[in-house]
Amino acid sequence: MALVKARGTKRPSATSSYSAASSIVAFVGLSVLGLWLILTFHSLAPPHQPTAPSNPEKTPTRLSSIGHTHHHSSALPQTRQNEPETRVESDEAAVIEPETETKVQNDEVAVTEPETKAENHEAAVIEPEAKVEGNEEVVIEPETKIENDETQTGDEAVVTDQADHQDTKESRDGNDVVEEQEKQAAIENQASGESSMTQKEEIIQENPSSETKMETDDGNHGAEGESESQGSNTAGNEITDEDQQRRIDEHQQGEEEQKQQEGKEAKSTDPNGATSHAQTQHDEAPIHLHQDGSSSEETDKAKAQTTSEEDKHDSLDEETDKVKPLSEKMNEETSNKNNEASTSSEDSIEIPKESTESKNSWTTQANQSENQKERRNGGPNGKDNSNHGYTWLLCNVTAGADYIPCLDNEKVVANIHSRAHHEHRERHCPTDAPTCLVPLPKGYKRRIDWPQSRDKIWYNNIPHTSLAEYKGHQNWVKVTGEFLTFPGGGTQFIHGALHYIDFIQEAVPDIAWGKHSRVVLDVGCGVASFGGYLFDRDVLTMSFAPKDEHEAQVQFALERGIPAISAVMGSQRLPFPSRVFDVVHCARCRVPWHMDGGSLLLELNRVLRPGGYFVWSATPVYQKLEEDVQIWKEMSRLTVSMCWELITIKKDKINSIGAAIYQKPDSNDCYNRRKQKEPLVCKTDDDPNAAWYIPLQSCMHQIPTQENERGSQWPEEWPERLQTPPYWLNKSTMGIYGKPAPDDFVSDYEHWKTVVSTMYMNDLGIKWSEVRNVMDLRAVYGGFAAALKDQNMWVLNVVNVDSPDTLPIIYERGLFGIYHDWCESFSSYPRTYDLLHANHLFSNLKKRCKLEFVMAEIDRILRPGGKLIMRDESSTVAEVVDFLKSLHWEVFLNHSKNQEGILSAQKSEWRPTTFADSS
């Protein structure tokens, strides 16, 4: 029994050992086989990836909670989205995302990447597993913050992207070996890309502590406002052919007499006179910039950014989630197509960095005008600048719905004793900038689209009848039911503006509208029909007239969709650079050109390009009334002494008018030959480009003669001049963005073409067919306006008085603009622009003036339904969003990253019901 029992005891023991050994062998074999299958599977098979449907209509684009797709952030570095779905298995190399240090077991090597966050609806990058011989590398990817309704559960991370198909293909092949150095280089490149979106360096000099008191505009001493007796007595008083020839002979005789009195030894004046801003300053060596436009210093700063700086954007993202979705404005198919285009071009549409050193190469209007008058300090002056819960009030002013703060300052105007030079119509801005809102006229409607608006506008939008009653017989404007209609003529061209325009070119073919002559100044424009029809000849016209007894004439022009400003030729220079207009026109304007030593005509001489034309079709040209004859004699004497050549006096028998056409000299020969040196040649220290609150000077500036001086040559013909760097831009001069000036010009143009075509036209919720009047509130080279060349609209480029004076460049390329300080009100009627574009404007302004005033001014000049596009620092964008919400505007897009933001918003018709105090 014992023996049997003992044998029975041993057998189970042997069997157990055998079974255990067999189990171990089987387990090891299966483990090896399993590991081999896993490695083989991952080297050959790609991670699970949803197949994109071929029908885009069945693939809705995911919109973020703020109502826009990722590609709205065109200014931000390109990021990878929608990575293939990756499953983390037990024995596989994993993408580990914990914030704490990860424990690495066995012999695996952990490569810990810097912690980052994918912010503002940008998807995290999950790299595929890298197969490595020997020990496996566990790649710990940057921490990713997944937003925009995307989930991450257990060991599965789902991230969507349509931008990285090439990486996915490579992972399928199983041939990509991810090296640590390559990953580190990629991270550095990413940091470099993000650094290009950091806060722009300020290039704007601080505003002088003293600011001049501003004075109102009125264009032409009652241009078009001639007496009815003169306007109707053309019959019987017209100049005859003999009188016309006699007047030309008199002008030529005056020139001959002056030549006969010339001495052989004429004093030669400094031919170099005034030079361009870019050439009068010392040259700066360009700083090194990366391809994305950021400097090395800026890149280092970007690398040093901490997670706390990134967290700053989270609060803004939460705020933007409340914004109305853009999906109501754009269909999904368009969004898909735009997303692909935007993703491929994001690197090229990042906001360029302005060089802090470039300010040493450029002058500003603020520097030129600081000693001319006392200037108020426009800073916040200690007042609480908070915009949260701001209460808006209606302006309680006499002007009502037509209020222009700097032209309707009744208290200041009442104390002006002398009005001999129309000082009361110049700019006189309030000391405390108004922050009230202008009411809407009763029955206001959305404006009629161009070109129908050129012929008619809604009567209720500008309910003024006196101009129609006073000038109705002269084809200015008429009341026709619920419309105000414009027959297309005027006092000087009753039978149509186009006939009159062709009549001028027939008189002087070299004018060549739209080719040789591109930018025109219309003095005393009336309702601006001349400029309105010059669009048909591919010509831009800057029209201006005063806010005077011809009420709302400029407002009529802007409502029609024609460029115009309220201004006057009074005691100060016009807000334009010197030598920029190809043609200056004055039809029946009663400006006393011959008075005060010809100071007003000399101001036209300042802004007229050498070789440019002055077209004067006022009554002294073609009538022989006693007053007209006397004015003609005075004008002949003045123009001869100014060396203007009378090209022709042309009669238009259809309109019963005549036009005298003069040409400005393109050399100093005539100036030097004059025996009588009146008008005087301006002193060399008088900068002809200084125009902001600069008193008029009764002198002539020298004609530039050096080949590299602006004004020594005529620009290339339109449209070539639009994209050609001006010949006088010197490569030794640093451009605004740190490159040599000509290269800076070209890169800026390419930048804005990309931004406008890939983002602005598609992603901002703007119906561009309804946009006509556009203003770029902070233009540099005019690149934004140039990119809109083929659109049926015009852009007024504003160069800020404390910014580098690049306005001459804008005119040289066949565009137009004006100097202005946005701490003051603009010289335009309310509700006159369809779209405002502000590129890094507000962050500069809030250092000098109250931001609530700037927002009130933006609200004043923009039409209900008008749009605002803003690009600026994220913190400033957030402030503006608060203001816009308090103004009941609709925000379509609000996107920020790396301290840069972009905003698209639309003005509503909301107005407060309470008026401000009359004081």
Side-chain angles (χ1 to χ4, degrees):
M1 292 293 295
L3 183 60
V4 173
K5 187 175 181 181
R7 180 181 293 181
T9 303
K10 291 180 181 179
R11 285 180 180 174
S13 175
T15 304
S16 176
S17 299
Y18 178 80
S19 300
S22 301
S23 299
I24 292 173
V25 171
F27 178 79
V28 171
L30 290 174
S31 298
V32 172
L33 178 61
L35 181 60
W36 180 82
L37 288 175
I38 289 172
L39 294 177
T40 303
F41 173 77
H42 280 281
S43 64
L44 297 178
H48 294 290
Q49 176 180 349
T51 304
S54 60
N55 186 358
E57 295 180 355
K58 296 182 180 180
T59 311
T61 301
R62 181 188 296 270
L63 294 177
S64 71
S65 57
I66 65 171
H68 62 281
T69 53
H70 168 63
H71 62 273
H72 290 148
S73 174
S74 69
L76 309 177
Q78 183 174 353
T79 58
R80 295 164 57 188
Q81 299 173 313
N82 300 346
E83 281 290 319
E85 176 181 318
T86 305
R87 295 185 178 275
V88 182
E89 306 292 346
S90 59
D91 294 324
E92 296 174 17
V95 177
I96 304 175
E97 297 179 340
E99 293 181 329
T100 58
E101 180 179 357
T102 304
K103 183 177 180 181
V104 184
Q105 298 179 350
N106 300 328
D107 296 326
E108 297 176 353
V109 180
V111 180
T112 305
E113 298 287 342
E115 175 181 323
T116 59
K117 290 184 179 181
E119 295 184 308
N120 213 2
H121 315 284
E122 301 207 31
V125 179
I126 301 182
E127 293 290 338
E129 171 188 343
K131 181 179 177 182
V132 184
E133 294 183 2
N135 297 330
E136 286 188 285
E137 291 184 351
V138 179
V139 181
I140 303 178
E141 285 294 322
E143 175 192 353
T144 57
K145 181 179 179 181
I146 301 180
E147 298 181 0
N148 200 16
D149 301 312
E150 296 180 359
T151 60
Q152 187 168 284
T153 59
D155 59 354
E156 180 176 0
V158 181
V159 183
T160 59
D161 191 328
Q162 301 173 354
D164 209 15
H165 298 299
Q166 183 62 35
D167 289 346
T168 304
K169 181 178 178 181
E170 292 175 357
S171 67
R172 290 193 187 115
D173 296 337
N175 296 323
D176 51 339
V177 178
V178 182
E179 296 294 337
E180 180 178 355
Q181 295 96 337
E182 293 175 347
K183 284 193 166 291
Q184 187 64 31
I187 293 168
E188 292 175 356
N189 289 337
Q190 181 181 2
S192 176
E194 292 176 351
S195 72
S196 67
M197 293 301 303
T198 57
Q199 179 178 1
K200 280 191 177 181
E201 293 289 338
E202 295 294 334
I203 63 168
I204 299 180
Q205 301 177 3
E206 289 298 321
N207 195 47
S209 59
S210 59
E211 294 182 291
T212 0
K213 199 187 339 180
M214 318 195 51
E215 299 157 298
T216 51
D217 318 330
D218 284 330
N220 52 326
H221 294 59
E224 314 279 359
E226 301 192 63
S227 65
E228 293 299 319
S229 60
Q230 284 187 342
S232 59
N233 288 339
T234 55
N237 288 314
E238 286 188 8
I239 184 172
T240 63
D241 293 339
E242 293 78 7
D243 290 336
Q244 178 175 325
Q245 185 60 44
R246 176 177 56 79
R247 292 189 176 194
I248 296 177
D249 293 341
E250 288 176 354
H251 186 88
Q252 293 175 347
Q253 183 178 358
E255 292 177 335
E256 293 174 358
E257 290 177 356
Q258 179 169 307
K259 291 179 181 179
Q260 292 174 0
Q261 293 174 354
E262 294 170 359
K264 292 184 179 179
E265 299 178 1
K267 285 186 178 181
S268 60
T269 57
D270 180 12
N272 295 327
T275 59
S276 67
H277 291 268
Q279 293 153 358
T280 55
Q281 306 297 328
H282 60 74
D283 299 331
E284 296 287 343
I287 61 174
H288 175 71
L289 296 180
H290 295 292
Q291 247 181 352
D292 57 12
S294 61
S295 65
S296 300
E297 181 181 358
E298 292 168 339
T299 304
D300 294 337
K301 290 181 180 178
K303 292 179 181 178
Q305 286 183 343
T306 63
T307 306
S308 62
E309 291 176 320
E310 297 170 341
D311 289 338
K312 242 164 68 175
H313 299 293
D314 294 346
S315 61
L316 180 59
D317 291 336
E318 294 172 3
E319 184 68 26
T320 58
D321 288 343
K322 303 174 184 177
V323 182
K324 183 175 181 180
L326 185 60
S327 56
E328 298 177 6
K329 307 292 180 182
M330 305 168 63
N331 62 59
E332 295 172 351
E333 181 177 358
T334 303
S335 296
N336 273 331
K337 293 179 180 179
N338 293 339
N339 186 35
E340 295 175 2
S342 178
T343 302
S344 63
S345 58
E346 278 179 350
D347 287 340
S348 62
I349 57 180
E350 295 171 358
I351 300 175
K353 300 299 176 187
E354 296 185 9
S355 169
T356 56
E357 299 179 18
S358 65
K359 63 183 181 181
N360 296 322
S361 300
W362 302 82
T363 60
T364 67
Q365 288 294 315
N367 290 340
Q368 297 290 346
S369 64
E370 62 181 348
N371 296 324
Q372 298 298 329
K373 288 191 175 185
E374 279 292 320
R375 300 294 301 273
R376 61 176 174 78
N377 186 354
N381 59 44
K383 183 178 178 180
D384 181 14
N385 207 24
S386 174
N387 52 9
H388 297 286
Y390 192 85
T391 301
W392 298 98
L393 301 173
L394 287 175
C395 297
N396 191 0
V397 292
T398 305
D402 297 334
Y403 181 45
I404 305 176
C406 291
L407 302 185
D408 293 319
N409 193 344
E410 295 178 343
K411 292 182 179 179
V412 174
V413 172
N415 294 323
I416 296 176
H417 302 294
S418 174
R419 300 192 176 190
H421 298 97
H422 294 261
E423 293 88 345
H424 61 297
R425 303 203 186 281
E426 294 178 331
R427 290 173 58 86
H428 300 282
C429 297
T431 303
D432 294 325
T435 57
C436 56
L437 303 183
V438 177
L440 293 177
K442 292 182 179 179
Y444 181 86
K445 299 180 181 180
R446 193 188 75 81
R447 71 163 186 85
I448 298 172
D449 292 336
W450 180 270
Q452 290 76 21
S453 62
R454 184 168 56 183
D455 301 324
K456 64 180 181 180
I457 61 176
W458 294 112
Y459 171 79
N460 286 332
N461 287 10
I462 308 178
H464 298 295
T465 59
S466 63
L467 192 62
E469 294 168 358
Y470 182 55
K471 291 290 186 180
H473 69 286
Q474 296 177 345
N475 269 8
W476 275 34
V477 56
K478 295 181 179 181
V479 179
T480 308
E482 60 180 344
F483 299 104
L484 289 164
T485 59
F486 304 86
T491 310
Q492 292 300 98
F493 30 93
I494 297 175
H495 295 282
L498 285 176
H499 167 78
Y500 175 77
I501 290 167
D502 291 337
F503 154 73
I504 292 173
Q505 182 162 308
E506 290 171 3
V508 182
D510 287 345
I511 284 180
W513 296 124
K515 292 184 179 179
H516 185 74
S517 299
R518 163 66 180 175
V519 187
V520 173
L521 179 66
D522 188 16
V523 182
C525 63
V527 294
S529 291
F530 177 70
Y533 282 91
L534 273 173
F535 277 109
D536 292 352
R537 300 293 184 265
D538 219 5
V539 174
L540 277 180
T541 306
M542 173 67 73
S543 301
F544 75 93
K547 186 177 183 180
D548 60 3
E549 63 274 5
H550 292 157
E551 63 179 338
Q553 53 186 326
V554 167
Q555 191 177 18
F556 282 126
L558 288 162
E559 184 72 14
R560 296 174 70 188
I562 303 171
I565 61 170
S566 292
V568 65
M569 296 201 69
S571 64
Q572 297 178 351
R573 287 179 176 176
L574 296 171
F576 311 120
S578 67
R579 308 185 297 271
V580 291
F581 289 102
D582 305 332
V583 175
V584 176
H585 173 257
C586 175
R588 205 177 176 86
C589 58
R590 298 190 65 199
V591 179
W593 301 118
H594 58 288
M595 302 294 289
D596 299 317
S599 61
L600 299 183
L601 195 63
L602 289 167
E603 173 62 2
L604 294 190
N605 186 73
R606 181 184 73 87
V607 300
L608 183 61
R609 188 182 300 281
Y613 297 93
F614 174 57
V615 180
W616 189 40
S617 59
T619 55
V621 177
Y622 57 90
Q623 291 186 4
K624 56 182 181 181
L625 297 173
E626 182 178 353
E627 180 184 8
D628 292 324
V629 171
Q630 184 61 34
I631 291 176
W632 174 260
K633 290 181 179 179
E634 295 292 333
M635 276 289 287
S636 295
R637 187 160 38 247
L638 177 60
T639 53
V640 167
S641 63
M642 291 172 58
C643 295
W644 280 14
E645 180 184 358
L646 179 60
I647 301 297
T648 185
I649 296 179
K650 183 74 173 180
K651 287 181 61 177
D652 181 7
K653 294 182 179 179
I654 295 179
N655 287 321
S656 299
I657 63 167
I661 303 178
Y662 301 86
Q663 186 174 26
K664 178 179 176 179
D666 57 5
S667 72
N668 293 305
D669 295 344
C670 178
Y671 293 172
N672 298 333
R673 290 197 307 263
R674 294 181 308 156
K675 187 173 183 180
Q676 299 296 328
K677 302 298 183 180
E678 292 185 0
L680 297 172
V681 173
C682 298
K683 297 180 180 179
T684 56
D685 60 354
D686 182 8
D687 185 358
N689 296 304
W692 188 245
Y693 291 106
I694 302 296
L696 289 179
Q697 305 292 330
S698 296
C699 62
M700 300 180 302
H701 293 91
Q702 290 273 0
I703 304 294
T705 57
Q706 301 296 323
E707 290 185 358
N708 61 347
E709 286 186 89
R710 182 173 67 83
S712 63
Q713 303 175 35
W714 196 270
E716 293 192 33
E717 289 190 348
W718 178 264
E720 287 76 15
R721 65 193 280 186
L722 178 73
Q723 57 190 9
T724 305
Y727 63 89
W728 43 268
L729 275 184
N730 197 324
K731 277 188 172 290
S732 63
T733 301
M734 179 186 294
I736 304 304
Y737 302 113
K739 299 178 182 178
D743 300 333
D744 224 32
F745 175 96
V746 173
S747 62
D748 177 78
Y749 181 44
E750 295 299 325
H751 163 76
W752 283 111
K753 282 198 302 182
T754 303
V755 170
V756 169
S757 63
T758 62
M759 182 179 185
Y760 283 14
M761 286 294 164
N762 303 310
D763 301 346
L764 302 185
I766 296 174
K767 188 175 181 180
W768 289 92
S769 61
E770 297 178 353
V771 175
R772 172 63 182 173
N773 301 358
V774 181
M775 183 187 290
D776 192 353
L777 305 180
R778 187 172 180 265
V780 179
Y781 298 121
F784 170 68
L788 293 171
K789 178 186 77 72
D790 296 328
Q791 303 300 317
N792 205 11
M793 63 188 68
W794 56 271
V795 181
L796 181 63
N797 296 279
V798 179
V799 170
N800 292 245
V801 296
D802 59 347
S803 295
D805 187 5
T806 54
L807 192 52
I809 298 175
I810 292 172
Y811 276 93
E812 195 78 5
R813 67 191 307 182
L815 305 172
F816 64 1
I818 192 171
Y819 294 120
H820 185 60
D821 182 357
W822 284 112
C823 288
E824 301 173 354
S825 175
F826 191 76
S827 294
S828 182
Y829 283 87
R831 306 172 302 279
T832 50
Y833 283 87
D834 302 309
L835 185 143
L836 303 178
H837 181 255
N839 184 30
H840 282 73
L841 171 72
F842 296 94
S843 57
N844 293 319
L845 284 177
K846 68 181 184 180
K847 301 173 184 177
R848 300 193 296 114
C849 51
K850 296 178 294 185
L851 196 55
E852 56 261 41
F853 158 70
V854 180
M855 296 309 303
E857 179 65 5
I858 294 295
D859 183 89
R860 186 184 73 86
I861 64 178
L862 193 63
R863 289 179 173 137
K867 310 298 192 303
L868 169 67
I869 302 175
M870 172 187 175
R871 302 167 74 104
D872 217 312
E873 300 170 3
S874 296
S875 59
T876 304
V877 171
E879 290 184 65
V880 171
V881 167
D882 286 340
F883 274 119
L884 295 181
K885 288 180 180 179
S886 68
L887 289 166
H888 297 257
W889 284 36
E890 185 177 14
V891 179
F892 289 143
L893 170 67
N894 178 14
H895 187 72
S896 297
K897 183 180 179 183
N898 296 335
Q899 300 182 359
E900 295 287 349
I902 183 169
L903 169 73
S904 173
Q906 176 175 304
K907 177 182 173 181
S908 69
E909 292 190 9
W910 174 85
R911 295 289 90 178
T913 57
T914 306
F915 282 89
D917 294 336
S918 58
S919 57

